[in-house]
């Protein structure tokens, strides 16, 4: 620790630079919502933590500070330890393993988690957030305004960029053409709701910086003197921050995010209201500011907030879809209340539980629960949620304590409490805390409030600094640095391959064989570095499949032999990847198509059945696997026939608009489908409307040569 302390100003400057660079990169590039950015967060956090050791720690003024901080951070650490346990196979705890391991595979690494590789990747990211919070806790004891100022400036710059792009037609997100939220501002983010949360946090940060000297107004002053002091200490030096808050508010309104707008109003009310209660000498001017901000908000809403107002009045459609997701989340929680399904596995857990009826209620792939509390309860279980609740309640208590005891620094506890209200309320309706840029800013603002709530007074008695805490922090940071460096290197190769994978999955015509081979090389390097990577295995299997199709599998193809080599490599890679992550319905389906082409019908049926079990209504393949289901239906066992028939009928009912074109392209499967729906009048009517032919007679179906 002496080496770090001797670096002094150099170490502090480097640490602040790293903090600024990390947040700039995350905010500027899609909020960091891609796998490579997720792996860089723990790497940056470890470096910031090591640099943070150069900052002095003064949490010695309150006798209960260590206990209170332990009640915040220890429950989080225990929760992360349990998440690590979810990904490990422990023979003595085999009875807790997720049932998918027993039904689909006999792999010896059965675990609580649906996908141990995904859980470990998310665990590394979560550990990075924890280490970053510990670093900010140390830095914020002496530099709270600097940390908050950096974040406020970055968010305002992103908001200003978003306003410019919106004024120019709102056609781009950075260098990418905008494909969603075409009438709403999203700035550097893809999702407008996530950016709305960030803009709301920017408003709070700017307001806090404008008001950070409000605690210096003495109660001994007369009313007129208080007003003059408020002008000299707050308004005169703080008006630029108020102007930046207005920029963030304008961006917030243009996002048209209902939940983001309401959550920001709640957070702002808590920030200003708590300052009014905590600092009576400044109450009158603060109330005047509240009134002025209210009038300004009404003016902005009246000028440019028409679309937001319309969405606030017409929220029923989104509420219906999200209620379906919430209901299914509660069902999953009831199935795994103690263990959860594994950190980071919500999408797989949802796909496994969702039934075809949901296809008519929920559009698109469901990656998040649109409620952070439900999502964490699904993944971690209720006991872990109780630990996290203890941490949140203790943090709120510390912030309220800071409001009651701090005078000059009272704005920071108020900011922390307001941030908790904003992100906590928005988490009821969306997943913004799953976006790294939003999560890091929220954690930073809350931790600044915690650090200042318990920070020692200057006249506190001197105590000998603890040497144990810095040593433990250094060990933790170095361990995280090593692990995250290894993961980041593997994820870098996955990141380089991703554009080609996206292009070939959308049948892009400009993708060439050299492009695919280059992506394949990156994926092989990724797996060489990290054989348990959660996505590179499936990516490599799909790349081999695309190479087989590109070289030509037809009988008269000159490269058929090479194509069959790649086809078998694809099958073997899918088999290996599914042994590590058996919850991938799409992986099982692609394996089934490969086995079907190669003539391995029993293996194809087994893989297709597994696909139906782990994703009975996965939206990306629910329609496309229908021909294969109907082809194999006559030769199945009675139990499998009931499963296939039931799912085929319910998928037809739930998404006839997507199933009908697939069946029309595979006419030999129509008689089997007709036999399934012949006793269901609504389905017969849909047949006439969408297929356009009379219901055919049921006949045995032989394997068909159509392309499926």
């Amino acid at each position: 620790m002496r080496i770090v302390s001797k670096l002094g100003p150099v170490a502090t400057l480097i640490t602040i630079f790293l903090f600024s660079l990390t947040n700039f990169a995350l905010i500027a590039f899609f909020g960091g919502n891609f796998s490579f950015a997720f792996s860089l967060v723990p790497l940056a956090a470890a470096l910031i933590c090591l640099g943070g050791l150069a900052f002095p720690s003064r949490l010695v003024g309150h006798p209960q500070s260590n206990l209170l901080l332990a009640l915040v951070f220890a429950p989080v650490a225990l929760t992360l330890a349990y998440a690590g346990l979810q990904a490990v196979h422990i023979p003595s705890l085999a009875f807790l393993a997720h049932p998918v391991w027993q039904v689909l595979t006999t792999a010896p690494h059965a675990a609580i988690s649906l996908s141990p590789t995904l859980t470990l990747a998310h665990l590394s990211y979560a550990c990075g957030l924890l280490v970053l919070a510990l670093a900010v806790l140390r830095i914020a004891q002496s530099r709270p305004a600097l940390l908050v100022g950096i974040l406020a400036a970055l968010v305002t710059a992103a908001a200003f960029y978003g306003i410019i792009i919106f004024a120019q037609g709102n056609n781009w997100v950075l260098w990418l053409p905008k494909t969603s939220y075409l009438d709403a501002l999203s700035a550097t983010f893809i999702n407008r709701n996530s950016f709305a949360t960030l803009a709301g946090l920017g408003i709070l940060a700017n307001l806090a910086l404008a008001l950070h000297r409000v605690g210096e107004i003495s109660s001994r002053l007369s009313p007129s003197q208080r007003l003059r002091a408020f002008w000299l200490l707050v308004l005169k030096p703080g008006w630029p921050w108020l102007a930046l808050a207005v920029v963030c508010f304008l961006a917030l309104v243009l996002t048209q995010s209902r939940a983001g707008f309401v959550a920001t109003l709640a957070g702002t009310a808590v920030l200003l209201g708590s300052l009014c209660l905590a600092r009576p000498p400044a109450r009158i001017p603060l109330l005047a500011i509240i009134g002025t901000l209210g009038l300004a908000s009404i003016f902005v809403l009246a000028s440019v907030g028409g679309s937001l107002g319309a969405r606030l009045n017409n929220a029923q459609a989104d509420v219906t879809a999200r209620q379906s997701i919430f209901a299914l989340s509660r069902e999953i929680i009831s199935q795994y209340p103690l263990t959860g399904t594994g950190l980071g596995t919500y999408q797989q857990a949802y796909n496994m539980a969702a039934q075809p009826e949901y296809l008519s209620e929920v559009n698109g792939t469901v990656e998040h629960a649109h409620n952070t509390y439900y999502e964490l309860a699904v993944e971690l279980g209720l006991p872990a949620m109780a630990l996290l609740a203890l941490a949140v309640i203790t943090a709120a208590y510390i912030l309220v304590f800071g409001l009651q005891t701090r005078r000059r620094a009272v704005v920071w506890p108020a900011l922390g409490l307001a941030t908790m209200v904003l992100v906590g309320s928005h988490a009821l309706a969306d997943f913004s805390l799953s976006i790294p840029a939003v999560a890091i800013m929220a954690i930073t603002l809350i931790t600044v409030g915690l650090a200042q709530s318990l920070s020692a007074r200057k006249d506190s008695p001197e105590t000998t600094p603890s040497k144990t805490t810095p040593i433990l922090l250094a060990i933790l940071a170095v361990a995280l640095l090593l692990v995250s460096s290894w993961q980041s290197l593997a994820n870098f190769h996955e990141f380089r391959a991703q554009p080609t994978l996206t292009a070939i999955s959308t049948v892009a015509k400009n993708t060439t064989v050299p492009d695919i081979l280059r992506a394949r090389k990156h994926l092989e390097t990724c797996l060489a570095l990290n054989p348990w990577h959660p996505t590179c295995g499936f990516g490599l299997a799909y790349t081999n499949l695309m190479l087989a199709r590109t070289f030509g599998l037809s009988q008269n193809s000159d490269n058929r032999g090479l194509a069959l080599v790649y086809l078998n490599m694809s099958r073997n890679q899918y088999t290996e990847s599914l042994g590590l992550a058996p919850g991938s319905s799409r992986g099982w389906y692609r394996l089934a198509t490969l086995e079907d082409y190669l003539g391995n019908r029993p293996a194809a049926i087994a893989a297709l059945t597994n696909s139906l079990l782990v994703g009975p209504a996965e939206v990306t393949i629910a329609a496309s696997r229908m021909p294969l289901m109907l082809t194999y239906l006559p030769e199945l066992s009675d139990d499998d026939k009931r499963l296939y028939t039931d799912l085929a009928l319910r998928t037809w009912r739930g998404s006839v608009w997507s199933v009908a074109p697939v069946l029309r392209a595979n006419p030999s499967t129509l008689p089997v489908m007709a036999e399934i729906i012949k006793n269901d009048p609504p389905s017969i009517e849909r047949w006439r409307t969408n297929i356009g032919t009379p219901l055919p007679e049921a006949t045995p179906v032989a394997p068909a040569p159509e392309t499926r």
Side-chain angles (χ1 to χ4, degrees), residues 56 58 67 95 160 187 196 209 276 290 345 365 459 527-528 580 624:
R58 300 185 223 170
L67 174 61
F95 64 95
F160 189 69
L209 290 166
C276 285
I290 293 174
T345 63
T365 302
D459 56 357
L527 289 175
L580 294 173
S624 59

Side-chain angles (χ1 to χ4, degrees), residues 623-691:
S624 59
R625 67 187 173 192
M626 285 284 285
L628 202 59
M629 292 169 58
L630 298 175
T631 299
Y632 285 144
L633 186 60
E635 57 190 270
L636 296 175
S637 65
D638 290 340
D639 287 342
D640 285 346
K641 276 185 179 179
R642 283 191 290 270
L643 171 67
Y644 279 53
T645 301
D646 177 64
L647 286 178
L649 177 59
R650 292 160 64 197
T651 302
W652 171 265
R653 291 172 178 170
S655 60
V656 63
W657 60 89
S658 60
V659 173
V662 176
L663 296 185
R664 287 198 301 267
N666 293 270
S668 65
T669 62
L670 293 177
V672 180
M673 192 68 210
E675 176 68 18
I676 292 173
I677 69 171
K678 67 179 182 179
N679 296 321
D680 187 50
S683 294
I684 296 174
E685 184 61 32
R686 292 190 182 100
W687 179 283
R688 297 192 182 109
T689 303
N690 293 276
I691 300 297

Side-chain angles (χ1 to χ4, degrees), residues 269-478:
V270 169
L271 174 64
L272 299 177
S274 59
L275 288 176
C276 285
L277 293 175
R279 298 303 301 158
R283 186 169 298 165
I284 293 178
L286 284 173
L287 290 174
I289 287 180
I290 293 174
T292 303
L293 290 177
L295 292 175
S297 301
I298 293 173
F299 174 77
V300 172
L301 286 171
S303 302
V304 297
S307 299
L308 175 59
R311 295 192 75 242
L312 286 170
N313 292 325
N314 186 27
Q316 187 58 42
D318 283 350
V319 169
T320 301
R322 293 187 182 185
Q323 286 300 327
S324 299
I325 298 174
F326 295 166
L328 191 59
S329 298
R330 290 193 294 269
E331 181 182 329
I332 301 172
I333 293 169
S334 67
Q335 294 173 353
Y336 311 100
L338 299 179
T339 61
T341 62
L343 183 64
T345 63
Y346 180 84
Q347 183 178 356
Q348 291 189 352
Y350 177 90
N351 289 336
M352 191 174 296
Q355 298 302 313
E357 289 77 11
Y358 285 92
L359 293 172
S360 61
E361 300 176 7
V362 180
N363 296 322
T365 302
V366 177
E367 298 180 5
H368 300 281
H370 291 272
N371 182 303
T372 303
Y373 309 104
Y374 278 144
E375 188 166 333
L376 290 175
V378 166
E379 296 178 354
L380 295 171
L382 297 180
M385 284 297 292
L387 286 173
L388 294 178
L390 174 62
V392 171
I393 292 171
T394 306
Y397 170 81
I398 293 175
L399 294 171
V400 173
F401 172 81
L403 282 171
Q404 294 173 342
T405 58
R406 299 292 285 170
R407 187 171 73 86
R408 291 179 178 272
V410 69
V411 72
W412 307 124
L415 174 62
L417 195 61
T419 301
M420 289 185 70
V421 171
L422 192 158
V423 297
S425 57
H426 194 265
L428 291 169
D430 223 319
F431 55 87
S432 293
L433 284 176
S434 299
I435 308 300
V438 177
I440 287 179
M441 183 167 183
I443 288 172
T444 299
L445 297 183
I446 293 171
T447 309
V448 166
L450 294 175
Q452 288 296 310
S453 294
L454 298 175
S455 187
R457 295 169 56 91
K458 291 183 178 180
D459 56 357
S460 322
E462 292 291 333
T463 59
T464 303
S466 171
K467 296 182 180 180
T468 305
T469 301
I471 292 174
L472 291 177
L473 275 177
I475 293 173
L476 180 62
V478 169

Side-chain angles (χ1 to χ4, degrees), residues 134-150:
L134 293 171
V136 170
L137 182 70
R138 193 175 183 95
I139 299 170
Q141 294 170 46
S142 56
R143 303 287 182 88
L146 179 60
L147 295 179
V148 177
I150 290 170

